[in-house]
Amino acid sequence: MAETILIVEDELDLAATLEYRLGKDGYDTVTAATGAEALAALQAEPRPDLVLLDLMLPDMSGMDICRQIRREEATANLPVIMVTARAEEIDRVVGFEVGADDYVCKPFSVRELVLRVKAQLRRGRSGGPNRTPSVAFGRLKVNSEAHRAWVDGEERPLTALEFKLLETFLARRGRVQSRERLLDDVWGITADVTTRTVDTHVKRLRQKLGPAGQYIETLRGVGYRFCDEPPARDTPADAGAP
Ligand code: CA
């Protein structure tokens, strides 16, 4: 069955162009011209497999729609590519913060956008069947399906990107991860971000994980490594200890 792309875009010409190009590539499309329509389309059948999200909509901000997508369990893992006329760095940072998976600025090449759509859908598929529902590691517990993480039994809310970063670390614990490798695997090679972004997100992830943040080691000049085993004193029996 064809994958369905939800196009959230109030510029009707652009929406029509995207519908046409994605249709040619074999995708089904649903278009929403307002935030309210977008929220309705997220609940309707066919459920979208990916969202192209314009930031400036007549009734609400794309950022709020993205937050809502991440909050709902049914859509928490839905790939979101933000599309915006505003190219400022701050938007990109906030975009990733609220859980966007990728980001393009208008004017963009439609061909490039289609490539990004394909990359996101491929990543979603490869992440699907192999996912383990729940992993416990020292003071940390992660549920990939529900997209949630806990430290000492207390939930730590993570953005989609931080969660992906944590999953990638956990899946390759004990192995050195270069910034470039993380960029490829977590952001996707097409994302317009630099290795400095990796550092920023690792730092934030560490802060959010609190005591479990120490599991992520920095290897100066090389990258990062998630420890192979939790430190001996750091077993779940310690949970709750001051
Ligand atoms: Ca707009």
Side-chain angles (χ1 to χ4, degrees):
M1 217 180 84
E3 284 160 310
T4 301
I5 316 283
L6 171 59
I7 303 168
V8 184
E9 177 58 70
D10 61 330
E11 283 172 50
L12 298 181
D13 288 355
L14 179 56
T17 304
L18 292 173
E19 279 169 21
Y20 173 74
R21 281 301 302 261
L22 290 165
K24 256 179 75 173
D25 275 72
Y27 297 108
D28 288 338
T29 57
V30 174
T31 300
T34 64
E37 281 178 37
L39 293 178
L42 284 163
Q43 309 291 331
E45 296 292 337
R47 296 285 178 138
D49 297 290
L50 181 143
V51 184
L52 292 177
L53 183 58
D54 181 28
L55 279 193
M56 302 280 276
L57 295 164
D59 55 341
M60 62 193 287
S61 145
M63 296 287 184
D64 290 334
I65 296 176
C66 193
R67 281 194 193 93
Q68 193 137 334
I69 288 173
R70 291 295 169 244
R71 253 198 316 267
E72 299 289 325
E73 202 168 310
T75 54
N77 296 312
L78 184 63
V80 175
I81 301 178
M82 281 190 175
V83 178
T84 179
R86 299 182 301 171
E88 289 97 45
E89 178 77 9
I90 183 73
D91 283 339
R92 186 149 58 205
V93 171
V94 174
F96 284 131
E97 195 93 296
V98 300
D101 296 289
D102 203 353
Y103 196 101
V104 289
C105 294
K106 294 176 189 171
F108 55 83
S109 122
V110 178
R111 193 175 150 267
E112 191 200 330
L113 181 69
V114 172
L115 288 176
R116 291 186 182 213
V117 165
K118 286 185 178 160
Q120 287 299 330
L121 288 171
R122 204 164 42 232
R123 210 159 69 187
R125 273 194 301 271
S126 63
N130 301 330
R131 286 191 165 189
T132 27
S134 241
V135 176
F137 183 88
R139 309 165 80 153
L140 179 68
K141 201 184 123 205
V142 171
N143 186 312
S144 295
E145 260 155 35
H147 231 258
R148 297 167 73 183
W150 297 262
V151 176
D152 295 340
E154 193 184 308
E155 183 160 15
R156 304 282 168 143
L158 303 178
T159 65
L161 232 142
E162 287 159 357
F163 194 83
K164 217 173 277 176
L165 190 57
L166 177 60
E167 274 193 310
T168 305
F169 275 133
L170 262 175
R172 303 201 200 119
R173 43 183 187 259
R175 284 149 65 190
V176 176
Q177 305 301 311
S178 70
R179 293 174 173 81
E180 290 76 16
R181 175 86 199 265
L182 288 169
L183 260 186
D184 268 20
D185 294 348
V186 179
W187 279 260
I189 42 167
T190 54
D192 182 21
V193 292
T194 66
T195 48
R196 221 180 41 197
T197 312
V198 177
D199 296 335
T200 310
H201 279 81
V202 171
K203 189 174 164 206
R204 204 170 294 139
L205 175 63
R206 259 200 200 117
Q207 282 166 356
K208 287 196 179 177
L209 293 179
Q214 59 171 334
Y215 299 160
I216 305 168
E217 257 182 281
T218 302
L219 305 170
R220 199 175 284 275
V222 181
Y224 297 96
R225 180 171 53 203
F226 200 91
C227 63
D228 208 6
E229 298 284 342
R233 57 183 160 68
D234 203 27
T235 54
D238 286 345

